[in-house]
């Protein structure tokens, strides 16, 4: 704590501890219709993964039913979910993307 003097009065300045914002996982969900190559493309373009990492996540989606694309603050995660939804819809694929608190 520090003490500041102003106009002959002593004013205590307290330090406020801020907590980091809650983080959210962005997940792709498996379906029987979206091609694997399209999922890899989504991961490369929207999540900036290299081909090897995108392929690993795509296989996780395929085998486990979902895969983690990244962990972000709430606003960024919501934007990523919307971007995936719009991109999939524009390419006529039913790919689903959701977010959940980490």
């Amino acid at each position: 704590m520090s003490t500041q003097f102003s106009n002959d009065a002593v004013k205590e300045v307290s330090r406020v501890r801020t907590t980091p914002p809650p983080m959210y996982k962005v997940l792709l969900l498996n379906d029987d219709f979206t091609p694997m190559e399209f999922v890899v493309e989504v991961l490369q373009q929207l999540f900036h993964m290299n081909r090897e990492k995108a392929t690993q996540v795509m296989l996780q989606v395929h085998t486990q039913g979902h895969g983690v694309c990244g962990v972000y603050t709430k606003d960024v995660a919501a934007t990523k979910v919307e971007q995936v939804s719009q991109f999939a819809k524009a390419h006529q694929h039913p790919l689903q993307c959701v977010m959940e608190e980490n």
Side-chain angles (χ1 to χ4, degrees), residues 50-91:
N50 62 34
R51 185 153 189 85
E52 183 179 341
K53 178 66 176 170
T55 301
Q56 289 174 352
V57 174
M58 176 274 295
L59 289 173
Q60 183 182 31
V61 172
H62 182 68
T63 59
Q64 298 177 13
H66 66 279
V68 178
C69 304
V71 180
Y72 306 95
T73 59
K74 187 175 185 178
D75 290 343
V76 173
T79 300
K80 293 287 188 184
V81 168
E82 184 60 30
Q83 288 174 336
V84 170
S85 297
Q86 288 178 357
F87 191 71
K89 186 176 180 179
H91 290 84

Short mmCIF file of all heavy atoms in Angstrom, two decimals, residues 50-91:
data_model
loop_
_atom_site.label_atom_id
_atom_site.label_comp_id
_atom_site.label_asym_id
_atom_site.label_seq_id
_atom_site.Cartn_x
_atom_site.Cartn_y
_atom_site.Cartn_z
N ASN A 50 -1.22 -25.14 -38.37
CA ASN A 50 -0.53 -25.71 -39.53
C ASN A 50 -1.25 -27.01 -39.91
O ASN A 50 -2.11 -27.50 -39.18
CB ASN A 50 0.96 -25.93 -39.25
CG ASN A 50 1.22 -26.92 -38.13
OD1 ASN A 50 0.48 -27.89 -37.94
ND2 ASN A 50 2.27 -26.67 -37.36
N ARG A 51 -0.93 -27.55 -41.06
CA ARG A 51 -1.65 -28.71 -41.58
C ARG A 51 -1.57 -29.91 -40.63
O ARG A 51 -2.54 -30.62 -40.43
CB ARG A 51 -1.13 -29.09 -42.95
CG ARG A 51 -1.93 -30.21 -43.58
CD ARG A 51 -1.87 -30.13 -45.10
NE ARG A 51 -2.79 -31.06 -45.71
CZ ARG A 51 -4.07 -30.82 -45.94
NH1 ARG A 51 -4.59 -29.67 -45.62
NH2 ARG A 51 -4.84 -31.73 -46.51
N GLU A 52 -0.40 -30.13 -40.04
CA GLU A 52 -0.22 -31.27 -39.14
C GLU A 52 -1.12 -31.15 -37.90
O GLU A 52 -1.82 -32.10 -37.53
CB GLU A 52 1.25 -31.39 -38.72
CG GLU A 52 1.52 -32.58 -37.84
CD GLU A 52 2.99 -32.70 -37.46
OE1 GLU A 52 3.84 -32.09 -38.13
OE2 GLU A 52 3.26 -33.40 -36.47
N LYS A 53 -1.11 -30.00 -37.26
CA LYS A 53 -1.94 -29.79 -36.07
C LYS A 53 -3.42 -29.86 -36.43
O LYS A 53 -4.23 -30.45 -35.70
CB LYS A 53 -1.61 -28.42 -35.43
CG LYS A 53 -2.45 -28.07 -34.23
CD LYS A 53 -2.18 -29.01 -33.07
CE LYS A 53 -2.98 -28.54 -31.85
NZ LYS A 53 -2.97 -29.52 -30.77
N ALA A 54 -3.81 -29.26 -37.56
CA ALA A 54 -5.21 -29.29 -37.99
C ALA A 54 -5.67 -30.73 -38.25
O ALA A 54 -6.79 -31.09 -37.89
CB ALA A 54 -5.39 -28.44 -39.25
N THR A 55 -4.80 -31.54 -38.82
CA THR A 55 -5.14 -32.94 -39.07
C THR A 55 -5.31 -33.70 -37.75
O THR A 55 -6.22 -34.51 -37.60
CB THR A 55 -4.06 -33.60 -39.94
OG1 THR A 55 -3.97 -32.88 -41.18
CG2 THR A 55 -4.39 -35.05 -40.23
N GLN A 56 -4.45 -33.41 -36.77
CA GLN A 56 -4.57 -34.06 -35.46
C GLN A 56 -5.91 -33.72 -34.80
O GLN A 56 -6.60 -34.59 -34.27
CB GLN A 56 -3.42 -33.63 -34.54
CG GLN A 56 -2.08 -34.19 -34.90
CD GLN A 56 -0.97 -33.60 -34.05
OE1 GLN A 56 -1.17 -32.67 -33.27
NE2 GLN A 56 0.23 -34.16 -34.19
N VAL A 57 -6.28 -32.44 -34.83
CA VAL A 57 -7.55 -32.01 -34.23
C VAL A 57 -8.72 -32.62 -34.99
O VAL A 57 -9.70 -33.09 -34.39
CB VAL A 57 -7.65 -30.47 -34.16
CG1 VAL A 57 -9.02 -30.04 -33.67
CG2 VAL A 57 -6.56 -29.91 -33.25
N MET A 58 -8.65 -32.65 -36.32
CA MET A 58 -9.72 -33.24 -37.13
C MET A 58 -9.91 -34.71 -36.76
O MET A 58 -11.04 -35.18 -36.63
CB MET A 58 -9.38 -33.10 -38.62
CG MET A 58 -10.37 -33.77 -39.56
SD MET A 58 -10.05 -35.53 -39.86
CE MET A 58 -8.50 -35.47 -40.70
N LEU A 59 -8.81 -35.45 -36.57
CA LEU A 59 -8.91 -36.86 -36.19
C LEU A 59 -9.51 -37.01 -34.80
O LEU A 59 -10.25 -37.96 -34.54
CB LEU A 59 -7.54 -37.53 -36.30
CG LEU A 59 -7.04 -37.75 -37.72
CD1 LEU A 59 -5.60 -38.26 -37.73
CD2 LEU A 59 -7.96 -38.70 -38.48
N GLN A 60 -9.19 -36.08 -33.92
CA GLN A 60 -9.79 -36.09 -32.58
C GLN A 60 -11.30 -35.88 -32.68
O GLN A 60 -12.08 -36.57 -32.02
CB GLN A 60 -9.16 -35.00 -31.72
CG GLN A 60 -9.66 -34.97 -30.29
CD GLN A 60 -9.05 -33.84 -29.48
OE1 GLN A 60 -8.72 -32.78 -30.02
NE2 GLN A 60 -8.91 -34.05 -28.19
N VAL A 61 -11.73 -34.95 -33.53
CA VAL A 61 -13.15 -34.72 -33.76
C VAL A 61 -13.79 -35.99 -34.29
O VAL A 61 -14.85 -36.43 -33.81
CB VAL A 61 -13.38 -33.55 -34.75
CG1 VAL A 61 -14.84 -33.44 -35.14
CG2 VAL A 61 -12.89 -32.23 -34.15
N HIS A 62 -13.15 -36.62 -35.25
CA HIS A 62 -13.69 -37.81 -35.90
C HIS A 62 -13.79 -39.00 -34.94
O HIS A 62 -14.80 -39.72 -34.94
CB HIS A 62 -12.82 -38.17 -37.10
CG HIS A 62 -13.32 -39.35 -37.88
ND1 HIS A 62 -14.48 -39.33 -38.60
CD2 HIS A 62 -12.79 -40.60 -38.03
CE1 HIS A 62 -14.67 -40.51 -39.17
NE2 HIS A 62 -13.66 -41.30 -38.83
N THR A 63 -12.77 -39.22 -34.13
CA THR A 63 -12.74 -40.41 -33.27
C THR A 63 -13.41 -40.21 -31.91
O THR A 63 -13.98 -41.15 -31.36
CB THR A 63 -11.30 -40.89 -33.04
OG1 THR A 63 -10.54 -39.84 -32.43
CG2 THR A 63 -10.67 -41.31 -34.35
N GLN A 64 -13.34 -39.00 -31.37
CA GLN A 64 -13.87 -38.75 -30.02
C GLN A 64 -15.18 -37.97 -30.01
O GLN A 64 -15.75 -37.74 -28.95
CB GLN A 64 -12.83 -38.02 -29.18
CG GLN A 64 -11.56 -38.83 -28.99
CD GLN A 64 -10.51 -38.08 -28.22
OE1 GLN A 64 -10.75 -37.05 -27.61
NE2 GLN A 64 -9.29 -38.60 -28.24
N GLY A 65 -15.61 -37.51 -31.17
CA GLY A 65 -16.88 -36.79 -31.25
C GLY A 65 -16.76 -35.29 -31.12
O GLY A 65 -17.69 -34.56 -31.44
N HIS A 66 -15.61 -34.82 -30.64
CA HIS A 66 -15.36 -33.37 -30.55
C HIS A 66 -13.86 -33.15 -30.44
O HIS A 66 -13.12 -34.05 -30.08
CB HIS A 66 -16.08 -32.75 -29.35
CG HIS A 66 -15.57 -33.23 -28.03
ND1 HIS A 66 -15.97 -34.43 -27.48
CD2 HIS A 66 -14.67 -32.70 -27.17
CE1 HIS A 66 -15.35 -34.60 -26.32
NE2 HIS A 66 -14.56 -33.56 -26.11
N GLY A 67 -13.45 -31.94 -30.78
CA GLY A 67 -12.04 -31.58 -30.69
C GLY A 67 -11.90 -30.13 -30.31
O GLY A 67 -12.71 -29.28 -30.69
N VAL A 68 -10.87 -29.83 -29.53
CA VAL A 68 -10.62 -28.47 -29.06
C VAL A 68 -9.83 -27.71 -30.11
O VAL A 68 -8.75 -28.12 -30.51
CB VAL A 68 -9.86 -28.48 -27.72
CG1 VAL A 68 -9.57 -27.07 -27.25
CG2 VAL A 68 -10.63 -29.25 -26.66
N CYS A 69 -10.40 -26.58 -30.53
CA CYS A 69 -9.75 -25.72 -31.52
C CYS A 69 -8.86 -24.67 -30.86
O CYS A 69 -7.92 -24.18 -31.46
CB CYS A 69 -10.79 -24.99 -32.35
SG CYS A 69 -11.93 -26.08 -33.17
N GLY A 70 -9.20 -24.30 -29.63
CA GLY A 70 -8.44 -23.30 -28.92
C GLY A 70 -9.18 -22.86 -27.67
O GLY A 70 -10.34 -23.24 -27.45
N VAL A 71 -8.50 -22.08 -26.84
CA VAL A 71 -9.07 -21.55 -25.60
C VAL A 71 -8.93 -20.04 -25.65
O VAL A 71 -7.83 -19.52 -25.86
CB VAL A 71 -8.35 -22.13 -24.36
CG1 VAL A 71 -8.95 -21.58 -23.08
CG2 VAL A 71 -8.42 -23.66 -24.37
N TYR A 72 -10.06 -19.34 -25.47
CA TYR A 72 -10.10 -17.89 -25.66
C TYR A 72 -10.97 -17.23 -24.57
O TYR A 72 -11.71 -17.91 -23.88
CB TYR A 72 -10.72 -17.56 -27.03
CG TYR A 72 -10.06 -18.25 -28.18
CD1 TYR A 72 -10.56 -19.45 -28.70
CD2 TYR A 72 -8.93 -17.71 -28.78
CE1 TYR A 72 -9.95 -20.08 -29.77
CE2 TYR A 72 -8.31 -18.35 -29.85
CZ TYR A 72 -8.83 -19.53 -30.34
OH TYR A 72 -8.23 -20.16 -31.40
N THR A 73 -10.90 -15.92 -24.53
CA THR A 73 -11.84 -15.17 -23.69
C THR A 73 -13.24 -15.34 -24.30
O THR A 73 -13.39 -15.76 -25.44
CB THR A 73 -11.48 -13.68 -23.63
OG1 THR A 73 -11.49 -13.15 -24.96
CG2 THR A 73 -10.12 -13.45 -22.97
N LYS A 74 -14.25 -14.98 -23.54
CA LYS A 74 -15.63 -15.23 -23.96
C LYS A 74 -15.96 -14.58 -25.30
O LYS A 74 -16.55 -15.22 -26.18
CB LYS A 74 -16.59 -14.74 -22.89
CG LYS A 74 -18.03 -15.09 -23.16
CD LYS A 74 -18.93 -14.68 -22.01
CE LYS A 74 -20.35 -15.14 -22.25
NZ LYS A 74 -21.22 -14.80 -21.12
N ASP A 75 -15.61 -13.32 -25.47
CA ASP A 75 -15.94 -12.61 -26.71
C ASP A 75 -15.22 -13.21 -27.92
O ASP A 75 -15.82 -13.36 -28.99
CB ASP A 75 -15.59 -11.12 -26.60
CG ASP A 75 -16.51 -10.38 -25.64
OD1 ASP A 75 -17.59 -10.91 -25.32
OD2 ASP A 75 -16.14 -9.26 -25.22
N VAL A 76 -13.97 -13.54 -27.76
CA VAL A 76 -13.21 -14.12 -28.87
C VAL A 76 -13.76 -15.50 -29.20
O VAL A 76 -13.93 -15.84 -30.38
CB VAL A 76 -11.69 -14.18 -28.55
CG1 VAL A 76 -10.93 -14.92 -29.63
CG2 VAL A 76 -11.13 -12.77 -28.36
N ALA A 77 -14.06 -16.29 -28.18
CA ALA A 77 -14.62 -17.63 -28.41
C ALA A 77 -15.95 -17.54 -29.16
O ALA A 77 -16.19 -18.29 -30.10
CB ALA A 77 -14.79 -18.37 -27.09
N ALA A 78 -16.81 -16.62 -28.74
CA ALA A 78 -18.11 -16.45 -29.40
C ALA A 78 -17.93 -16.04 -30.86
O ALA A 78 -18.65 -16.52 -31.75
CB ALA A 78 -18.96 -15.42 -28.66
N THR A 79 -16.95 -15.19 -31.12
CA THR A 79 -16.66 -14.78 -32.50
C THR A 79 -16.18 -15.97 -33.33
O THR A 79 -16.61 -16.14 -34.47
CB THR A 79 -15.61 -13.65 -32.51
OG1 THR A 79 -16.14 -12.53 -31.77
CG2 THR A 79 -15.27 -13.22 -33.92
N LYS A 80 -15.30 -16.79 -32.76
CA LYS A 80 -14.80 -17.96 -33.48
C LYS A 80 -15.94 -18.93 -33.81
O LYS A 80 -16.01 -19.46 -34.92
CB LYS A 80 -13.73 -18.69 -32.66
CG LYS A 80 -12.44 -17.91 -32.48
CD LYS A 80 -11.65 -17.87 -33.75
CE LYS A 80 -10.28 -17.26 -33.52
NZ LYS A 80 -9.53 -17.12 -34.77
N VAL A 81 -16.84 -19.15 -32.86
CA VAL A 81 -17.99 -20.04 -33.09
C VAL A 81 -18.84 -19.50 -34.25
O VAL A 81 -19.24 -20.26 -35.14
CB VAL A 81 -18.83 -20.19 -31.80
CG1 VAL A 81 -20.17 -20.86 -32.09
CG2 VAL A 81 -18.06 -20.97 -30.75
N GLU A 82 -19.08 -18.21 -34.24
CA GLU A 82 -19.87 -17.60 -35.31
C GLU A 82 -19.16 -17.69 -36.66
O GLU A 82 -19.80 -17.97 -37.69
CB GLU A 82 -20.19 -16.14 -34.96
CG GLU A 82 -21.09 -15.46 -35.96
CD GLU A 82 -22.46 -16.11 -36.10
OE1 GLU A 82 -22.96 -16.71 -35.14
OE2 GLU A 82 -23.03 -16.04 -37.21
N GLN A 83 -17.85 -17.48 -36.68
CA GLN A 83 -17.09 -17.58 -37.92
C GLN A 83 -17.16 -18.99 -38.51
O GLN A 83 -17.36 -19.15 -39.71
CB GLN A 83 -15.62 -17.20 -37.69
CG GLN A 83 -15.39 -15.73 -37.46
CD GLN A 83 -13.94 -15.44 -37.10
OE1 GLN A 83 -13.21 -16.30 -36.61
NE2 GLN A 83 -13.53 -14.20 -37.34
N VAL A 84 -17.02 -19.99 -37.66
CA VAL A 84 -17.09 -21.37 -38.14
C VAL A 84 -18.48 -21.66 -38.68
O VAL A 84 -18.63 -22.25 -39.77
CB VAL A 84 -16.74 -22.37 -37.01
CG1 VAL A 84 -17.04 -23.81 -37.44
CG2 VAL A 84 -15.27 -22.25 -36.62
N SER A 85 -19.51 -21.24 -37.97
CA SER A 85 -20.89 -21.48 -38.41
C SER A 85 -21.16 -20.84 -39.77
O SER A 85 -21.75 -21.46 -40.65
CB SER A 85 -21.87 -20.95 -37.37
OG SER A 85 -21.71 -21.63 -36.15
N GLN A 86 -20.72 -19.60 -39.93
CA GLN A 86 -20.93 -18.90 -41.20
C GLN A 86 -20.14 -19.54 -42.33
O GLN A 86 -20.64 -19.70 -43.44
CB GLN A 86 -20.56 -17.43 -41.06
CG GLN A 86 -21.54 -16.62 -40.24
CD GLN A 86 -21.11 -15.17 -40.09
OE1 GLN A 86 -20.05 -14.76 -40.54
NE2 GLN A 86 -21.96 -14.38 -39.44
N PHE A 87 -18.89 -19.93 -42.07
CA PHE A 87 -18.04 -20.54 -43.08
C PHE A 87 -18.62 -21.89 -43.52
O PHE A 87 -18.68 -22.19 -44.71
CB PHE A 87 -16.62 -20.71 -42.53
CG PHE A 87 -15.59 -21.08 -43.55
CD1 PHE A 87 -15.17 -20.17 -44.50
CD2 PHE A 87 -15.02 -22.35 -43.55
CE1 PHE A 87 -14.19 -20.51 -45.44
CE2 PHE A 87 -14.05 -22.70 -44.48
CZ PHE A 87 -13.64 -21.78 -45.42
N ALA A 88 -19.08 -22.69 -42.55
CA ALA A 88 -19.67 -23.99 -42.87
C ALA A 88 -20.96 -23.82 -43.66
O ALA A 88 -21.18 -24.52 -44.65
CB ALA A 88 -19.93 -24.78 -41.58
N LYS A 89 -21.78 -22.88 -43.25
CA LYS A 89 -23.04 -22.64 -43.95
C LYS A 89 -22.78 -22.17 -45.39
O LYS A 89 -23.44 -22.61 -46.33
CB LYS A 89 -23.86 -21.61 -43.20
CG LYS A 89 -25.24 -21.38 -43.77
CD LYS A 89 -26.04 -20.40 -42.91
CE LYS A 89 -27.41 -20.19 -43.51
NZ LYS A 89 -28.22 -19.26 -42.70
N ALA A 90 -21.79 -21.30 -45.57
CA ALA A 90 -21.46 -20.78 -46.89
C ALA A 90 -20.99 -21.90 -47.83
O ALA A 90 -21.16 -21.81 -49.04
CB ALA A 90 -20.39 -19.70 -46.79
N HIS A 91 -20.41 -22.95 -47.24
CA HIS A 91 -19.92 -24.08 -48.04
C HIS A 91 -20.88 -25.27 -47.97
O HIS A 91 -20.53 -26.37 -48.37
CB HIS A 91 -18.52 -24.48 -47.59
CG HIS A 91 -17.49 -23.47 -47.95
ND1 HIS A 91 -17.22 -22.35 -47.18
CD2 HIS A 91 -16.67 -23.37 -49.03
CE1 HIS A 91 -16.28 -21.64 -47.75
NE2 HIS A 91 -15.93 -22.22 -48.88
#
